[in-house]
Amino acid sequence: MFSMNNIYAQKDYKMIEGFYDLSSFEMASGIYLLEEETFFYYASFGNIDLKVFGAYQMNNDGLLTFTPDQKLTNEFDIYGTKNELQKDSITLFYNRPYERIAEKIVLNMGQGEVSFPEFTKEKNTVSISVKRSKSDVLIIGYDTSIPSQKENYISIQLPDDINELKIFHNYYADMVRKFVRSSFQIRDSALIDNNNSQKRSPKKEISDEIITQVKEFIADRKEDKPLEIEGKIYQKLNPVN
């Protein structure tokens, strides 16, 4: 019985593999569903260019559940390098975020929260230097004056040879989380948008070439590529669980 159910499940994923056009007025949008339970969703409107990828599952009623790649939901992206002039301290730089609510952040290295300086009209990057702790665990989050964002923080294990960090707010993190909460359902070879008056998007077949391109795009986005800033190479630092 288990084997038969597994076979049918595999057939279902093969049958729904394709592209579903979700575009609407003033927004280009669509989603690719691949047989191996991988998805790629995009939406472009105004100055927004959202791209989400990860894994998906389908229940017996055709309801889809999306699990985006973890990096897409990280509130901050952190890159680090070694500054030969520093010994027992670390310096962190924070670029002005697009959203004003994300301007007030704090760091904690086991010695209590330390607030970053405020941005000014003339200052689009703020910095702070703190003494390095023995644990080397660094937490970056929002100021307590923003209770609605208290759960959105990032924690990293600082490598021994890293003492200069660049912090960037992930402008798309909240949009990715909202997409995950969306409700879509497969019915009669079409994707039904339960959030948009049951809008129906028929499946469009995709070639092996398109499937390969989607997979290559996802693989490329998953790579932790270094950044070169003012002649220095900064490595991507991933959060600890």
Side-chain angles (χ1 to χ4, degrees):
M1 180 63 73
F2 174 80
S3 297
M4 289 299 293
N5 286 341
N6 191 43
I7 290 173
Y8 285 126
Q10 290 178 2
K11 287 184 178 179
D12 286 341
Y13 284 105
K14 177 62 177 176
M15 289 173 61
I16 67 174
E17 181 176 72
F19 172 71
Y20 301 83
D21 189 352
L22 304 174
S23 298
S24 59
F25 181 67
E26 294 187 342
M27 182 177 77
S29 178
I31 188 167
Y32 291 88
L33 299 179
L34 303 187
E35 179 183 3
E36 63 269 26
E37 301 173 43
T38 299
F39 78 91
F40 168 57
Y41 167 83
Y42 70 88
S44 298
F45 52 97
N47 63 344
I48 302 299
D49 187 20
L50 177 64
K51 292 180 173 64
V52 188
F53 54 85
Y56 76 95
Q57 289 185 319
M58 180 178 61
N59 69 11
N60 293 334
D61 296 324
L63 192 65
L64 302 180
T65 302
F66 299 100
T67 304
D69 187 274
Q70 178 62 47
K71 295 176 185 178
L72 301 178
T73 60
N74 290 337
E75 196 69 16
F76 304 95
D77 292 320
I78 302 180
Y79 293 80
T81 191
K82 182 177 182 179
N83 188 329
E84 299 288 354
L85 301 179
Q86 291 187 175
K87 299 299 180 182
D88 300 323
S89 64
I90 63 171
T91 300
L92 304 95
F93 298 87
Y94 184 40
N95 281 23
R96 187 193 297 273
Y98 287 112
E99 294 181 310
R100 186 157 188 172
I101 194 174
E103 289 186 3
K104 292 185 177 182
I105 66 170
V106 297
L107 68 88
N108 193 326
M109 284 202 73
Q111 303 169 16
E113 291 187 349
V114 180
S115 299
F116 276 72
E118 292 188 3
F119 291 96
T120 66
K121 290 183 178 180
E122 298 77 23
K123 186 183 295 185
N124 288 316
T125 300
V126 294
S127 64
I128 190 171
S129 293
V130 295
K131 185 177 180 180
R132 190 165 190 146
S133 70
K134 293 182 180 180
S135 68
D136 278 343
V137 175
L138 172 67
I139 299 175
I140 301 291
Y142 289 97
D143 189 279
T144 53
S145 64
I146 313 176
S148 62
Q149 298 287 343
K150 65 180 180 180
E151 296 182 356
N152 296 328
Y153 64 89
I154 189 169
S155 178
I156 64 170
Q157 182 73 42
L158 200 61
D160 293 338
D161 59 342
I162 298 296
N163 56 12
E164 181 176 307
L165 307 178
K166 297 283 189 181
I167 305 170
F168 304 92
H169 176 245
N170 182 3
Y171 177 59
Y172 291 103
D174 189 56
M175 298 181 199
V176 174
R177 291 190 287 264
K178 287 180 179 178
F179 167 74
V180 172
R181 295 193 293 268
S182 300
S183 177
F184 291 96
Q185 192 170 14
I186 294 292
R187 190 187 307 152
D188 299 328
S189 297
L191 185 66
I192 308 302
D193 187 348
N194 295 326
N195 312 281
N196 188 14
S197 303
Q198 300 287 300
K199 178 182 177 182
R200 186 176 183 274
S201 302
K203 183 185 79 168
K204 296 181 179 179
E205 299 291 344
I206 51 178
S207 65
D208 291 341
E209 182 181 1
I210 293 297
I211 293 173
T212 298
Q213 290 176 359
V214 172
K215 290 180 179 179
E216 289 178 347
F217 175 85
I218 293 175
D220 180 71
R221 286 298 181 98
K222 283 186 173 182
E223 288 186 16
D224 290 330
K225 298 177 181 178
L227 291 181
E228 182 175 353
I229 304 174
E230 297 178 349
K232 294 182 180 180
I233 302 299
Y234 291 80
Q235 303 296 328
K236 181 73 178 291
L237 302 180
N238 291 315
V240 296
N241 296 326

